[in-house]
Amino acid sequence: MKARRRLQRPSETPQGADLLTRLYAHRGIQDPAQMDHALTGLAPTQSLSGVAAASALLHQALEEGWSILVVGDFDADGATSTALALRALRAMGAARVDYLVPNRFEYGYGLTPEIVAVAREREPRLLITVDNGISSLDGVAAAQAAGMKVLITDHHLPGQDLPPADALVNPNLPGDEFPSKSLAGVGVIFYVMAALRARLRTTDWFTRRGVAQPNLADLLDLVALGTVADVVPLDRNNRILVDQGLRRMRAGRAVPGIRALLEVAGRNPARVVASDVGFAVGPRLNAAGRMDDMSIGIECLLTDDPAQARTLAQTLDDLNRERREVEKDMQEQALITLETLLAEHPELTQWHGLCLYEPDWHQGVIGILASRIKDRVHRPVIAFARAEEGTLKGSARSIPGLHVRDTLEAIATRHPGLITRFGGHAMAAGLSLPEDHLEPFRQAFEDTVRETMDPRDLEGVIHSDGPLLDHELNLETAERLRAAGPWGQGFPEPLFDGVFHIRERRPLGDGRHLRLTLQPVDGSVRVNAVAFNIDPEEWPDGQEQVHLAYRLDANEFRGACTAQLVVEHVVLG
């Protein structure tokens, strides 16, 4: 079962415009000012509802010397949010600030009453959640009953009821007028810290305490990493945050942990772009939360000792290698399971949403697994793993046309008690349910997805920016494209298509990849290309010509850069 994809080029392209103008127009940008990434273009701090109450609470905590505990999350957004909160609060004079991140295998997600019980042992006066908490009604109540104040900072979509926190900051709250609803968790806490610094200035805090005013822009490397790794849409506000963070990384001003993670990934910090952060740094940081304990990743981002950062980055790299092996085995198993199911129940090919489960799947890797299967079959997928006794945890990944968090809410409303907990975004969500609820949930998910989606949404579409001409297939164009971002979710990296003669081909690694020399059928230039994780059926022996969708990149090897096509899809006729 593999989705067939059709190619779609822009219906309108500015006539006579240069390449970048065309690419920006394809992404809805007509005014060049929208690609101005100066910090002055950021949405104002005060436009985010709740920051005034949050900064007042934090100000009181600093004035009265409260013990502050930051409760993070176990993914890259949560780790960067935690590190940013601690670095900013310490730089502004907080004397007693620490963090706690739930181990996903023991406590699950968010500020649960169980995590509050662990937090009480440290005797905090104030709890700050970062990248979580919007659905933690019981946890907030438990913390307040224990005498703690609670500040919730989050970006996930709220449910019908909000937690009774002392302050609550989330751009997706009802009535919030902040223009960027796609702010990541690390972006939310960055804005809260900016509001706190502004408040402290007005009260002469820094002079009274003899504390140098911190430049919070120095923390934008953390914001860029968390934003890209969380795959939130890069609207203009997020593009500014990411671009400014990348500039600091390229200038050698990133925290030692990010520099070390780039080093172990073999990336040149002076040339880093968003895709390096997304595909090299983010997965290594996430590996801590998936395979072990996210505290390893947070410590890597907190240390100012380069030697310790390198040691921690190497540990994260080792965890990432372990994660890849586990993921590879699970993906093979999932595909076998899927094909077996389809052989026994051919009617499943008509299903709009898939739920997959194997008892021995690793709980930390099901999100990646769901994403891989979703890419293959182009329909919403939920992968389940066994959690505590009698309970399953699921990770959902969706496609355009289905808001998966809203789908789970609709199921929970129609079938009370079927799902124990859920939360997330439009394209990704998590849930838990009793194991014996799996089959009724599978049917409820299919019914709801089928009602919601247009069947045309299940047709995979390759959105191409069109062909590149002979004189554009070179290193100069590749470098222009790298510099024209940041590209990412919602602002996709340019993808081109063309028909090529295959002049040379040889396998790479274990044969799953190909190194190619290609020549456009209507051109004379020859260009190197690479295709990863190929489907052998799309690359038969003796093939002389192929229609490809590809990215043009600058490949750096042993200090030399050359133009290279990175094959994303073979376009079927």
mmCIF file of all heavy atoms in Angstrom, residues 521-568:
data_model
loop_
_atom_site.group_PDB
_atom_site.id
_atom_site.type_symbol
_atom_site.label_atom_id
_atom_site.label_comp_id
_atom_site.label_asym_id
_atom_site.label_seq_id
_atom_site.Cartn_x
_atom_site.Cartn_y
_atom_site.Cartn_z
ATOM 1 N N VAL A 521 16.994 16.372 -20.258
ATOM 2 C CA VAL A 521 16.757 15.875 -21.616
ATOM 3 C C VAL A 521 16.779 17.014 -22.645
ATOM 4 O O VAL A 521 17.053 16.785 -23.828
ATOM 5 C CB VAL A 521 15.410 15.128 -21.710
ATOM 6 C CG1 VAL A 521 15.455 13.846 -20.905
ATOM 7 C CG2 VAL A 521 14.251 16.010 -21.279
ATOM 8 N N ASP A 522 16.492 18.238 -22.169
ATOM 9 C CA ASP A 522 16.516 19.373 -23.088
ATOM 10 C C ASP A 522 17.693 20.299 -22.808
ATOM 11 O O ASP A 522 17.657 21.479 -23.142
ATOM 12 C CB ASP A 522 15.204 20.156 -22.997
ATOM 13 C CG ASP A 522 14.906 20.577 -21.562
ATOM 14 O OD1 ASP A 522 15.673 20.174 -20.655
ATOM 15 O OD2 ASP A 522 13.918 21.306 -21.346
ATOM 16 N N GLY A 523 18.732 19.784 -22.157
ATOM 17 C CA GLY A 523 19.890 20.600 -21.829
ATOM 18 C C GLY A 523 21.184 19.846 -22.032
ATOM 19 O O GLY A 523 21.190 18.684 -22.456
ATOM 20 N N SER A 524 22.287 20.501 -21.708
ATOM 21 C CA SER A 524 23.595 19.894 -21.934
ATOM 22 C C SER A 524 24.415 19.753 -20.659
ATOM 23 O O SER A 524 25.409 19.027 -20.632
ATOM 24 C CB SER A 524 24.383 20.740 -22.942
ATOM 25 O OG SER A 524 24.527 22.070 -22.460
ATOM 26 N N VAL A 525 24.016 20.478 -19.584
ATOM 27 C CA VAL A 525 24.796 20.450 -18.352
ATOM 28 C C VAL A 525 24.629 19.109 -17.647
ATOM 29 O O VAL A 525 23.564 18.486 -17.710
ATOM 30 C CB VAL A 525 24.362 21.614 -17.426
ATOM 31 C CG1 VAL A 525 22.946 21.410 -16.913
ATOM 32 C CG2 VAL A 525 25.319 21.747 -16.255
ATOM 33 N N ARG A 526 25.694 18.650 -17.014
ATOM 34 C CA ARG A 526 25.614 17.445 -16.186
ATOM 35 C C ARG A 526 25.743 17.857 -14.724
ATOM 36 O O ARG A 526 26.541 18.738 -14.391
ATOM 37 C CB ARG A 526 26.714 16.446 -16.548
ATOM 38 C CG ARG A 526 26.542 15.871 -17.944
ATOM 39 C CD ARG A 526 27.410 14.655 -18.162
ATOM 40 N NE ARG A 526 27.185 14.080 -19.485
ATOM 41 C CZ ARG A 526 27.566 12.859 -19.839
ATOM 42 N NH1 ARG A 526 28.201 12.088 -18.964
ATOM 43 N NH2 ARG A 526 27.336 12.400 -21.045
ATOM 44 N N VAL A 527 24.978 17.203 -13.855
ATOM 45 C CA VAL A 527 24.957 17.586 -12.448
ATOM 46 C C VAL A 527 24.868 16.329 -11.594
ATOM 47 O O VAL A 527 24.237 15.334 -11.982
ATOM 48 C CB VAL A 527 23.768 18.539 -12.176
ATOM 49 C CG1 VAL A 527 22.437 17.874 -12.463
ATOM 50 C CG2 VAL A 527 23.802 19.076 -10.755
ATOM 51 N N ASN A 528 25.559 16.388 -10.452
ATOM 52 C CA ASN A 528 25.510 15.252 -9.524
ATOM 53 C C ASN A 528 24.171 15.248 -8.778
ATOM 54 O O ASN A 528 23.550 16.297 -8.571
ATOM 55 C CB ASN A 528 26.649 15.342 -8.507
ATOM 56 C CG ASN A 528 28.001 15.166 -9.150
ATOM 57 O OD1 ASN A 528 28.135 14.415 -10.120
ATOM 58 N ND2 ASN A 528 29.009 15.869 -8.648
ATOM 59 N N ALA A 529 23.760 14.061 -8.360
ATOM 60 C CA ALA A 529 22.511 13.926 -7.609
ATOM 61 C C ALA A 529 22.645 12.769 -6.633
ATOM 62 O O ALA A 529 23.493 11.886 -6.793
ATOM 63 C CB ALA A 529 21.328 13.685 -8.559
ATOM 64 N N VAL A 530 21.796 12.801 -5.612
ATOM 65 C CA VAL A 530 21.745 11.708 -4.647
ATOM 66 C C VAL A 530 20.279 11.410 -4.347
ATOM 67 O O VAL A 530 19.453 12.321 -4.279
ATOM 68 C CB VAL A 530 22.530 12.073 -3.369
ATOM 69 C CG1 VAL A 530 21.902 13.266 -2.660
ATOM 70 C CG2 VAL A 530 22.649 10.888 -2.424
ATOM 71 N N ALA A 531 19.961 10.127 -4.228
ATOM 72 C CA ALA A 531 18.602 9.699 -3.885
ATOM 73 C C ALA A 531 18.702 8.782 -2.666
ATOM 74 O O ALA A 531 19.427 7.786 -2.696
ATOM 75 C CB ALA A 531 17.957 8.954 -5.054
ATOM 76 N N PHE A 532 17.986 9.139 -1.602
ATOM 77 C CA PHE A 532 18.057 8.376 -0.355
ATOM 78 C C PHE A 532 16.849 7.448 -0.221
ATOM 79 O O PHE A 532 15.746 7.778 -0.648
ATOM 80 C CB PHE A 532 18.093 9.323 0.851
ATOM 81 C CG PHE A 532 19.330 10.182 0.912
ATOM 82 C CD1 PHE A 532 19.261 11.542 0.643
ATOM 83 C CD2 PHE A 532 20.560 9.631 1.242
ATOM 84 C CE1 PHE A 532 20.392 12.344 0.696
ATOM 85 C CE2 PHE A 532 21.703 10.428 1.305
ATOM 86 C CZ PHE A 532 21.606 11.782 1.022
ATOM 87 N N ASN A 533 17.094 6.307 0.419
ATOM 88 C CA ASN A 533 16.013 5.367 0.762
ATOM 89 C C ASN A 533 15.103 5.101 -0.434
ATOM 90 O O ASN A 533 13.890 5.312 -0.391
ATOM 91 C CB ASN A 533 15.199 5.910 1.942
ATOM 92 C CG ASN A 533 16.035 6.068 3.192
ATOM 93 O OD1 ASN A 533 16.763 5.157 3.572
ATOM 94 N ND2 ASN A 533 15.967 7.239 3.808
ATOM 95 N N ILE A 534 15.700 4.629 -1.515
ATOM 96 C CA ILE A 534 14.957 4.456 -2.761
ATOM 97 C C ILE A 534 13.990 3.281 -2.683
ATOM 98 O O ILE A 534 14.189 2.337 -1.912
ATOM 99 C CB ILE A 534 15.924 4.242 -3.940
ATOM 100 C CG1 ILE A 534 16.705 2.930 -3.755
ATOM 101 C CG2 ILE A 534 16.852 5.422 -4.115
ATOM 102 C CD1 ILE A 534 17.376 2.453 -5.014
ATOM 103 N N ASP A 535 12.957 3.354 -3.491
ATOM 104 C CA ASP A 535 12.076 2.214 -3.727
ATOM 105 C C ASP A 535 12.595 1.543 -5.008
ATOM 106 O O ASP A 535 12.546 2.147 -6.090
ATOM 107 C CB ASP A 535 10.641 2.705 -3.927
ATOM 108 C CG ASP A 535 9.661 1.554 -4.160
ATOM 109 O OD1 ASP A 535 10.114 0.451 -4.499
ATOM 110 O OD2 ASP A 535 8.453 1.789 -4.011
ATOM 111 N N PRO A 536 13.125 0.324 -4.941
ATOM 112 C CA PRO A 536 13.704 -0.319 -6.128
ATOM 113 C C PRO A 536 12.761 -0.367 -7.316
ATOM 114 O O PRO A 536 13.203 -0.346 -8.473
ATOM 115 C CB PRO A 536 14.054 -1.726 -5.634
ATOM 116 C CG PRO A 536 14.215 -1.590 -4.160
ATOM 117 C CD PRO A 536 13.242 -0.532 -3.742
ATOM 118 N N GLU A 537 11.447 -0.426 -7.055
ATOM 119 C CA GLU A 537 10.495 -0.480 -8.166
ATOM 120 C C GLU A 537 10.508 0.825 -8.974
ATOM 121 O O GLU A 537 10.129 0.837 -10.146
ATOM 122 C CB GLU A 537 9.079 -0.739 -7.634
ATOM 123 C CG GLU A 537 8.903 -2.126 -7.028
ATOM 124 C CD GLU A 537 7.471 -2.350 -6.559
ATOM 125 O OE1 GLU A 537 6.634 -1.444 -6.771
ATOM 126 O OE2 GLU A 537 7.202 -3.413 -5.984
ATOM 127 N N GLU A 538 10.938 1.917 -8.338
ATOM 128 C CA GLU A 538 10.982 3.204 -9.041
ATOM 129 C C GLU A 538 12.313 3.407 -9.762
ATOM 130 O O GLU A 538 12.458 4.371 -10.520
ATOM 131 C CB GLU A 538 10.749 4.341 -8.050
ATOM 132 C CG GLU A 538 9.363 4.341 -7.414
ATOM 133 C CD GLU A 538 9.174 5.446 -6.396
ATOM 134 O OE1 GLU A 538 10.188 6.007 -5.926
ATOM 135 O OE2 GLU A 538 8.012 5.750 -6.073
ATOM 136 N N TRP A 539 13.288 2.529 -9.480
ATOM 137 C CA TRP A 539 14.616 2.667 -10.089
ATOM 138 C C TRP A 539 15.029 1.326 -10.708
ATOM 139 O O TRP A 539 15.997 0.703 -10.274
ATOM 140 C CB TRP A 539 15.638 3.106 -9.038
ATOM 141 C CG TRP A 539 15.407 4.479 -8.496
ATOM 142 C CD1 TRP A 539 14.672 4.817 -7.408
ATOM 143 C CD2 TRP A 539 15.901 5.701 -9.050
ATOM 144 N NE1 TRP A 539 14.690 6.182 -7.229
ATOM 145 C CE2 TRP A 539 15.437 6.758 -8.216
ATOM 146 C CE3 TRP A 539 16.694 6.025 -10.161
ATOM 147 C CZ2 TRP A 539 15.741 8.090 -8.472
ATOM 148 C CZ3 TRP A 539 16.992 7.355 -10.398
ATOM 149 C CH2 TRP A 539 16.526 8.369 -9.553
ATOM 150 N N PRO A 540 14.310 0.841 -11.731
ATOM 151 C CA PRO A 540 14.662 -0.458 -12.323
ATOM 152 C C PRO A 540 16.023 -0.406 -13.022
ATOM 153 O O PRO A 540 16.445 0.646 -13.523
ATOM 154 C CB PRO A 540 13.525 -0.690 -13.331
ATOM 155 C CG PRO A 540 13.037 0.679 -13.679
ATOM 156 C CD PRO A 540 13.175 1.489 -12.418
ATOM 157 N N ASP A 541 16.702 -1.559 -13.047
ATOM 158 C CA ASP A 541 17.973 -1.654 -13.762
ATOM 159 C C ASP A 541 17.747 -1.325 -15.236
ATOM 160 O O ASP A 541 16.732 -1.693 -15.831
ATOM 161 C CB ASP A 541 18.545 -3.075 -13.624
ATOM 162 C CG ASP A 541 18.994 -3.360 -12.201
ATOM 163 O OD1 ASP A 541 19.263 -2.387 -11.467
ATOM 164 O OD2 ASP A 541 19.063 -4.547 -11.826
ATOM 165 N N GLY A 542 18.716 -0.652 -15.828
ATOM 166 C CA GLY A 542 18.623 -0.313 -17.244
ATOM 167 C C GLY A 542 17.832 0.940 -17.543
ATOM 168 O O GLY A 542 17.714 1.353 -18.703
ATOM 169 N N GLN A 543 17.291 1.555 -16.518
ATOM 170 C CA GLN A 543 16.506 2.787 -16.718
ATOM 171 C C GLN A 543 17.417 3.886 -17.279
ATOM 172 O O GLN A 543 18.498 4.137 -16.754
ATOM 173 C CB GLN A 543 15.910 3.222 -15.374
ATOM 174 C CG GLN A 543 14.987 4.409 -15.427
ATOM 175 C CD GLN A 543 14.469 4.751 -14.019
ATOM 176 O OE1 GLN A 543 15.111 4.409 -13.030
ATOM 177 N NE2 GLN A 543 13.327 5.384 -13.951
ATOM 178 N N GLU A 544 16.978 4.551 -18.341
ATOM 179 C CA GLU A 544 17.818 5.572 -18.981
ATOM 180 C C GLU A 544 17.310 6.985 -18.759
ATOM 181 O O GLU A 544 18.048 7.957 -18.926
ATOM 182 C CB GLU A 544 17.899 5.297 -20.492
ATOM 183 C CG GLU A 544 18.566 3.956 -20.827
ATOM 184 C CD GLU A 544 18.620 3.727 -22.322
ATOM 185 O OE1 GLU A 544 17.962 4.479 -23.057
ATOM 186 O OE2 GLU A 544 19.321 2.785 -22.737
ATOM 187 N N GLN A 545 16.055 7.126 -18.413
ATOM 188 C CA GLN A 545 15.446 8.451 -18.299
ATOM 189 C C GLN A 545 14.478 8.452 -17.128
ATOM 190 O O GLN A 545 13.798 7.449 -16.870
ATOM 191 C CB GLN A 545 14.704 8.774 -19.599
ATOM 192 C CG GLN A 545 14.198 10.194 -19.707
ATOM 193 C CD GLN A 545 13.686 10.473 -21.109
ATOM 194 O OE1 GLN A 545 14.432 10.363 -22.094
ATOM 195 N NE2 GLN A 545 12.415 10.819 -21.216
ATOM 196 N N VAL A 546 14.408 9.597 -16.401
ATOM 197 C CA VAL A 546 13.545 9.639 -15.225
ATOM 198 C C VAL A 546 13.044 11.062 -14.994
ATOM 199 O O VAL A 546 13.761 12.035 -15.250
ATOM 200 C CB VAL A 546 14.326 9.115 -13.988
ATOM 201 C CG1 VAL A 546 15.499 10.038 -13.649
ATOM 202 C CG2 VAL A 546 13.420 8.946 -12.786
ATOM 203 N N HIS A 547 11.794 11.156 -14.533
ATOM 204 C CA HIS A 547 11.203 12.452 -14.172
ATOM 205 C C HIS A 547 11.313 12.582 -12.648
ATOM 206 O O HIS A 547 10.771 11.753 -11.910
ATOM 207 C CB HIS A 547 9.743 12.503 -14.622
ATOM 208 C CG HIS A 547 9.118 13.855 -14.451
ATOM 209 N ND1 HIS A 547 7.817 14.126 -14.797
ATOM 210 C CD2 HIS A 547 9.610 15.043 -13.976
ATOM 211 C CE1 HIS A 547 7.531 15.398 -14.550
ATOM 212 N NE2 HIS A 547 8.601 15.971 -14.042
ATOM 213 N N LEU A 548 11.995 13.613 -12.191
ATOM 214 C CA LEU A 548 12.294 13.746 -10.765
ATOM 215 C C LEU A 548 11.756 15.052 -10.196
ATOM 216 O O LEU A 548 11.726 16.082 -10.883
ATOM 217 C CB LEU A 548 13.814 13.729 -10.535
ATOM 218 C CG LEU A 548 14.556 12.470 -10.974
ATOM 219 C CD1 LEU A 548 16.055 12.691 -10.823
ATOM 220 C CD2 LEU A 548 14.096 11.272 -10.161
ATOM 221 N N ALA A 549 11.373 15.003 -8.918
ATOM 222 C CA ALA A 549 11.177 16.212 -8.131
ATOM 223 C C ALA A 549 12.377 16.289 -7.185
ATOM 224 O O ALA A 549 12.699 15.307 -6.517
ATOM 225 C CB ALA A 549 9.875 16.135 -7.337
ATOM 226 N N TYR A 550 13.019 17.440 -7.139
ATOM 227 C CA TYR A 550 14.304 17.515 -6.440
ATOM 228 C C TYR A 550 14.525 18.894 -5.817
ATOM 229 O O TYR A 550 13.892 19.876 -6.186
ATOM 230 C CB TYR A 550 15.449 17.241 -7.431
ATOM 231 C CG TYR A 550 15.542 18.253 -8.541
ATOM 232 C CD1 TYR A 550 16.273 19.435 -8.401
ATOM 233 C CD2 TYR A 550 14.863 18.058 -9.744
ATOM 234 C CE1 TYR A 550 16.331 20.379 -9.418
ATOM 235 C CE2 TYR A 550 14.915 18.983 -10.761
ATOM 236 C CZ TYR A 550 15.659 20.142 -10.589
ATOM 237 O OH TYR A 550 15.704 21.080 -11.594
ATOM 238 N N ARG A 551 15.426 18.909 -4.832
ATOM 239 C CA ARG A 551 15.948 20.159 -4.286
ATOM 240 C C ARG A 551 17.356 20.385 -4.839
ATOM 241 O O ARG A 551 18.078 19.409 -5.107
ATOM 242 C CB ARG A 551 16.030 20.108 -2.762
ATOM 243 C CG ARG A 551 14.677 20.032 -2.088
ATOM 244 C CD ARG A 551 14.813 20.039 -0.577
ATOM 245 N NE ARG A 551 15.415 18.827 -0.054
ATOM 246 C CZ ARG A 551 16.635 18.728 0.443
ATOM 247 N NH1 ARG A 551 17.431 19.810 0.487
ATOM 248 N NH2 ARG A 551 17.099 17.590 0.899
ATOM 249 N N LEU A 552 17.716 21.644 -5.007
ATOM 250 C CA LEU A 552 19.086 21.968 -5.423
ATOM 251 C C LEU A 552 19.833 22.430 -4.182
ATOM 252 O O LEU A 552 19.423 23.384 -3.523
ATOM 253 C CB LEU A 552 19.080 23.080 -6.475
ATOM 254 C CG LEU A 552 20.468 23.557 -6.937
ATOM 255 C CD1 LEU A 552 21.245 22.435 -7.626
ATOM 256 C CD2 LEU A 552 20.331 24.763 -7.878
ATOM 257 N N ASP A 553 20.938 21.753 -3.851
ATOM 258 C CA ASP A 553 21.667 22.082 -2.627
ATOM 259 C C ASP A 553 23.153 22.207 -2.945
ATOM 260 O O ASP A 553 23.628 21.771 -4.006
ATOM 261 C CB ASP A 553 21.441 20.985 -1.573
ATOM 262 C CG ASP A 553 21.821 21.458 -0.180
ATOM 263 O OD1 ASP A 553 22.043 22.676 0.010
ATOM 264 O OD2 ASP A 553 21.900 20.626 0.738
ATOM 265 N N ALA A 554 23.865 22.813 -1.984
ATOM 266 C CA ALA A 554 25.321 22.897 -2.065
ATOM 267 C C ALA A 554 25.892 21.803 -1.181
ATOM 268 O O ALA A 554 25.691 21.822 0.034
ATOM 269 C CB ALA A 554 25.789 24.272 -1.603
ATOM 270 N N ASN A 555 26.556 20.839 -1.781
ATOM 271 C CA ASN A 555 27.125 19.715 -1.036
ATOM 272 C C ASN A 555 28.550 20.041 -0.635
ATOM 273 O O ASN A 555 29.406 20.292 -1.491
ATOM 274 C CB ASN A 555 27.092 18.453 -1.896
ATOM 275 C CG ASN A 555 27.656 17.248 -1.164
ATOM 276 O OD1 ASN A 555 27.362 17.050 0.010
ATOM 277 N ND2 ASN A 555 28.467 16.455 -1.848
ATOM 278 N N GLU A 556 28.818 20.049 0.685
ATOM 279 C CA GLU A 556 30.163 20.348 1.185
ATOM 280 C C GLU A 556 30.865 19.048 1.539
ATOM 281 O O GLU A 556 30.349 18.264 2.355
ATOM 282 C CB GLU A 556 30.080 21.261 2.414
ATOM 283 C CG GLU A 556 31.442 21.735 2.899
ATOM 284 C CD GLU A 556 31.324 22.695 4.077
ATOM 285 O OE1 GLU A 556 30.218 22.787 4.658
ATOM 286 O OE2 GLU A 556 32.320 23.352 4.404
ATOM 287 N N PHE A 557 32.005 18.797 0.923
ATOM 288 C CA PHE A 557 32.750 17.563 1.189
ATOM 289 C C PHE A 557 34.242 17.882 1.166
ATOM 290 O O PHE A 557 34.758 18.390 0.169
ATOM 291 C CB PHE A 557 32.409 16.504 0.127
ATOM 292 C CG PHE A 557 33.069 15.167 0.366
ATOM 293 C CD1 PHE A 557 32.736 14.408 1.481
ATOM 294 C CD2 PHE A 557 34.017 14.681 -0.517
ATOM 295 C CE1 PHE A 557 33.332 13.179 1.699
ATOM 296 C CE2 PHE A 557 34.626 13.446 -0.308
ATOM 297 C CZ PHE A 557 34.274 12.699 0.807
ATOM 298 N N ARG A 558 34.884 17.608 2.294
ATOM 299 C CA ARG A 558 36.320 17.860 2.442
ATOM 300 C C ARG A 558 36.679 19.292 2.057
ATOM 301 O O ARG A 558 37.662 19.550 1.353
ATOM 302 C CB ARG A 558 37.135 16.860 1.620
ATOM 303 C CG ARG A 558 36.998 15.424 2.127
ATOM 304 C CD ARG A 558 37.768 14.439 1.287
ATOM 305 N NE ARG A 558 37.647 13.093 1.832
ATOM 306 C CZ ARG A 558 38.082 11.986 1.225
ATOM 307 N NH1 ARG A 558 38.663 12.080 0.049
ATOM 308 N NH2 ARG A 558 37.938 10.817 1.789
ATOM 309 N N GLY A 559 35.844 20.226 2.496
ATOM 310 C CA GLY A 559 36.137 21.649 2.313
ATOM 311 C C GLY A 559 35.731 22.223 0.975
ATOM 312 O O GLY A 559 35.842 23.430 0.762
ATOM 313 N N ALA A 560 35.252 21.382 0.061
ATOM 314 C CA ALA A 560 34.848 21.874 -1.263
ATOM 315 C C ALA A 560 33.339 21.772 -1.402
ATOM 316 O O ALA A 560 32.719 20.823 -0.921
ATOM 317 C CB ALA A 560 35.533 21.053 -2.357
ATOM 318 N N CYS A 561 32.742 22.772 -2.063
ATOM 319 C CA CYS A 561 31.292 22.782 -2.277
ATOM 320 C C CYS A 561 30.978 22.569 -3.757
ATOM 321 O O CYS A 561 31.623 23.170 -4.626
ATOM 322 C CB CYS A 561 30.692 24.120 -1.830
ATOM 323 S SG CYS A 561 30.488 24.259 -0.048
ATOM 324 N N THR A 562 29.989 21.742 -4.031
ATOM 325 C CA THR A 562 29.527 21.539 -5.405
ATOM 326 C C THR A 562 28.001 21.518 -5.404
ATOM 327 O O THR A 562 27.376 21.218 -4.379
ATOM 328 C CB THR A 562 30.040 20.203 -5.981
ATOM 329 O OG1 THR A 562 29.633 19.148 -5.101
ATOM 330 C CG2 THR A 562 31.552 20.212 -6.122
ATOM 331 N N ALA A 563 27.421 21.828 -6.561
ATOM 332 C CA ALA A 563 25.967 21.744 -6.682
ATOM 333 C C ALA A 563 25.541 20.280 -6.707
ATOM 334 O O ALA A 563 26.218 19.430 -7.298
ATOM 335 C CB ALA A 563 25.508 22.442 -7.946
ATOM 336 N N GLN A 564 24.413 19.993 -6.071
ATOM 337 C CA GLN A 564 23.917 18.621 -6.021
ATOM 338 C C GLN A 564 22.389 18.635 -5.981
ATOM 339 O O GLN A 564 21.785 19.406 -5.241
ATOM 340 C CB GLN A 564 24.458 17.922 -4.771
ATOM 341 C CG GLN A 564 23.883 16.538 -4.532
ATOM 342 C CD GLN A 564 24.469 15.880 -3.292
ATOM 343 O OE1 GLN A 564 25.440 15.152 -3.374
ATOM 344 N NE2 GLN A 564 23.875 16.138 -2.149
ATOM 345 N N LEU A 565 21.788 17.770 -6.774
ATOM 346 C CA LEU A 565 20.346 17.589 -6.691
ATOM 347 C C LEU A 565 20.057 16.535 -5.618
ATOM 348 O O LEU A 565 20.687 15.478 -5.603
ATOM 349 C CB LEU A 565 19.762 17.106 -8.020
ATOM 350 C CG LEU A 565 20.115 17.871 -9.299
ATOM 351 C CD1 LEU A 565 19.248 17.361 -10.447
ATOM 352 C CD2 LEU A 565 19.952 19.356 -9.109
ATOM 353 N N VAL A 566 19.128 16.839 -4.744
ATOM 354 C CA VAL A 566 18.672 15.864 -3.744
ATOM 355 C C VAL A 566 17.288 15.404 -4.187
ATOM 356 O O VAL A 566 16.325 16.172 -4.180
ATOM 357 C CB VAL A 566 18.615 16.488 -2.341
ATOM 358 C CG1 VAL A 566 18.145 15.445 -1.325
ATOM 359 C CG2 VAL A 566 19.977 17.045 -1.937
ATOM 360 N N VAL A 567 17.203 14.151 -4.622
ATOM 361 C CA VAL A 567 15.959 13.620 -5.181
ATOM 362 C C VAL A 567 14.945 13.387 -4.052
ATOM 363 O O VAL A 567 15.231 12.696 -3.075
ATOM 364 C CB VAL A 567 16.218 12.296 -5.929
ATOM 365 C CG1 VAL A 567 14.906 11.706 -6.445
ATOM 366 C CG2 VAL A 567 17.193 12.522 -7.073
ATOM 367 N N GLU A 568 13.785 13.983 -4.198
ATOM 368 C CA GLU A 568 12.718 13.807 -3.205
ATOM 369 C C GLU A 568 11.670 12.801 -3.685
ATOM 370 O O GLU A 568 11.130 12.048 -2.880
ATOM 371 C CB GLU A 568 12.035 15.153 -2.920
ATOM 372 C CG GLU A 568 12.953 16.173 -2.260
ATOM 373 C CD GLU A 568 13.289 15.816 -0.816
ATOM 374 O OE1 GLU A 568 12.599 14.963 -0.238
ATOM 375 O OE2 GLU A 568 14.251 16.378 -0.274
#
